[in-house]
Amino acid sequence: MSQERTLVIGILNVTPDSFADGGKHFDFESAIIRAKEMIAEGVDIIDVGGESTRPGAERVSEEEERVRVIPVITELIELGAVVSIDTMRASTAIAAIGAGATFVNDVSGGLADPDMAKVIAKNPLVQYIVMHWRGHSDQMQKSAIYSDVVSEVKDELDERITQLLKAGVAAEQIIIDPGIGFAKTAEHNWELLRNIDRLSLLGYPILVGASRKKFLGELLGANSPDDREAATIAITTAMAQLGVWGVRTHAVKAHRDAIEVAMELNK
Ligand code: PMM
């Protein structure tokens, strides 16, 4: 995939809380309709997740996660999409890779499942998104304590990378992510976004996932995630100007446009 511009990674959450009427068949149908819209809008990669990682979220079973995501991935591959699996489980990653996913997006950066690094090492054509993480969603906000958030996130990602390389993962497979909203207060998120260039010193492509997150609502007094879209686009523009590898977003077209604008501004 060329790196002339920042990539748009479209979020496709196949979770009951993202599709109001529930029911597995409905989830599948809704997911495919949404994916087709994203493809038509020029998405680069579709990130399929079957487990919510919102603050306070409880875990779903391994089987439930797989039942939610694998049929969707199979269909997306049929449609010609590039697919990422958003999972912390090695077993789900194996099944998703088997179904055609070429990216594994692990919000725990390999910390949640000790087998994940081996799976990535065994699949050298798969790229691995290593997010900064300090524990599962039901307890992570207790760990939002830093004396220098940028240095600590950078050092903790560096430690993850060291462990992954030791396990046989190739450097070319790794993409890093500061984990906006994961064990971070609003101010921590802003500090990380202001200093994203310091994370790029680690020498890996960077993904930023700020889309419609709570800290934007706190700034703007916008309780509804939909009301945070314009703010998310502003972040995409700034991140694209700084040359980040990708942005993980709910909307696609507006972010493709924002990236075009950023490229013009950078000329
Ligand atoms: N955020 C969420 C889920 N997965 N993956 C990466 N790499 N980075 C993120 O910031 C990230 C993620 C939670 O957001 P959602 O509930 O809107 O999907």
Side-chain angles (χ1 to χ4, degrees):
M1 201 166 291
S2 97
Q3 253 319 149
E4 283 156 26
R5 61 166 173 82
T6 297
L7 301 178
V8 175
I9 292 86
I11 301 170
L12 192 64
N13 286 328
V14 195
T15 51
D17 54 0
S18 57
F19 295 107
D21 287 340
K24 284 184 190 102
H25 186 63
F26 184 75
D27 279 357
F28 174 84
E29 296 288 333
S30 304
I32 300 306
I33 290 169
R34 181 69 201 113
K36 284 182 176 166
E37 285 168 4
M38 291 201 280
I39 293 168
E41 290 182 0
V43 75
D44 294 298
I45 301 165
I46 299 181
D47 187 38
V48 181
E51 180 169 54
S52 176
T53 48
R54 297 225 167 87
E58 282 175 24
R59 299 215 63 189
V60 298
S61 74
E62 190 173 330
E63 200 203 336
E64 179 61 27
E65 187 186 24
R66 223 175 313 143
V67 165
R68 287 178 185 179
V69 297
I70 300 303
V72 173
I73 294 173
T74 304
E75 184 68 18
L76 293 189
I77 296 295
E78 284 281 310
L79 292 171
V82 176
V83 174
S84 159
I85 173 69
D86 186 346
T87 188
M88 293 182 257
R89 284 196 180 95
S91 58
T92 306
I94 292 170
I97 293 166
T102 44
F103 287 81
V104 173
N105 173 24
D106 180 355
V107 299
S108 83
L111 284 171
D113 188 334
D115 293 333
M116 185 63 101
K118 282 175 252 164
V119 171
I120 304 302
K122 269 197 199 143
N123 289 280
L125 297 180
V126 163
Q127 282 185 279
Y128 185 50
I129 298 161
V130 179
M131 202 191 78
H132 176 262
W133 187 81
R134 281 186 170 183
H136 288 287
S137 298
D138 56 350
Q139 25 132 3
M140 67 181 173
Q141 288 314 109
K142 283 186 266 176
S143 313
I145 298 162
Y146 304 84
S147 53
D148 175 348
V149 67
V150 181
S151 299
E152 286 168 61
V153 166
K154 181 167 173 268
D155 290 351
E156 288 167 36
L157 282 172
D158 200 19
E159 172 60 22
R160 287 283 74 235
I161 292 164
T162 303
Q163 295 305 325
L164 290 163
L165 297 176
K166 252 191 218 165
V169 174
E172 296 70 40
Q173 290 180 273
I174 297 175
I175 294 155
I176 57 172
D177 181 330
I180 298 299
F182 287 80
K184 311 212 173 51
T185 63
E187 187 46 35
H188 294 141
N189 295 327
W190 289 118
E191 196 60 20
L192 284 163
L193 291 170
R194 277 180 209 121
N195 292 283
I196 212 78
D197 55 323
R198 278 177 59 199
L199 294 184
S200 58
L201 294 174
L202 288 170
Y204 292 87
I206 297 179
L207 172 65
V208 170
S211 190
R212 302 180 183 174
K213 285 186 176 169
K214 203 172 112 211
F215 76 111
L216 299 173
E218 286 172 26
L219 178 75
L220 304 168
N223 288 329
S224 152
D226 286 349
D227 291 338
R228 304 169 190 160
E229 186 52 35
T232 310
I233 296 166
I235 290 179
T236 287
T237 313
M239 292 299 113
Q241 280 198 271
L242 294 171
V244 304
W245 171 82
V247 286
R248 183 179 178 277
T249 66
H250 294 87
V252 173
K253 170 80 168 63
H255 292 268
R256 285 290 307 254
D257 291 352
I259 291 163
E260 291 297 323
V261 169
M263 284 171 65
E264 277 309 303
L265 293 172
N266 271 2
K267 267 184 188 167

